Amino acid sequence: MSELALPTVLFVCVHNAGRSQMAAAFLTHLAGDRVHVRSAGSAPADSVNPSVVTAMAEAGIDISAEVPKVLTTEAVQASDVVITMGCGDTCPVFPGKRYLDWQLPDPAGQGVEAVRPIRDAIETRIRTLIDEITAA
């Protein structure tokens, strides 16, 4: 499969410090080189939520080196699928893109106990997403 044929998925939340980081990490971990993965935030935080880093480490995925990234129009334009998680009206919309809005609790300010069920819900959605986008 050529590099150009790979689907590109962009995960967006406000701070790019929790949900979108977990989703991007799960997709990268589970889909490997079958998908290009990006994540960004409309108002990125200074760092990834430590409870999110801990919860992902429990799942065997190290995201301790990740940093929140700012959402750009170019990132949206370069993506086939854009998945928002509490982004609201700040996410740019372009024709021809597939948009999904995942309603998930915000892990900001939460301890690892509260992050675990969010992490698990994201993993379940990612597994379904992989089946959908790699079936073609």
Side-chain angles (χ1 to χ4, degrees), residues 43-123:
D46 292 331
S47 61
V48 175
N49 178 331
S51 296
V52 166
V53 173
T54 300
M56 290 303 288
E58 291 174 356
I61 301 172
D62 180 8
I63 63 168
S64 61
E66 293 297 325
V67 293
K69 293 164 278 306
V70 67
L71 176 64
T72 65
T73 300
E74 294 76 22
V76 177
Q77 289 175 317
S79 300
D80 300 304
V81 181
V82 179
I83 299 174
T84 57
M85 301 176 220
C87 188
D89 296 332
T90 60
C91 294
V93 175
F94 295 98
K97 306 294 176 196
R98 179 177 175 203
Y99 289 88
L100 300 171
D101 185 43
W102 290 356
Q103 299 291 323
L104 295 159
D106 188 348
Q110 302 292 319
V112 72
E113 298 79 17
V115 173
R116 285 185 190 116
I118 302 168
R119 174 201 66 201
D120 295 345
I122 289 171
E123 181 181 8

Side-chain angles (χ1 to χ4, degrees), residues 7-28:
T8 301
V9 179
L10 171 65
F11 295 99
V12 183
C13 64
V14 175
H15 300 298
N16 190 222
R19 295 166 288 190
S20 56
Q21 290 282 351
M22 287 190 282
F26 270 124
L27 185 54
T28 299

Side-chain angles (χ1 to χ4, degrees), residues 98 100 102 125-136:
R98 179 177 175 203
L100 300 171
W102 290 356
R125 290 177 189 218
I126 291 297
R127 289 181 182 280
T128 300
L129 178 70
I130 291 169
D131 291 342
E132 291 173 2
I133 62 177
T134 59

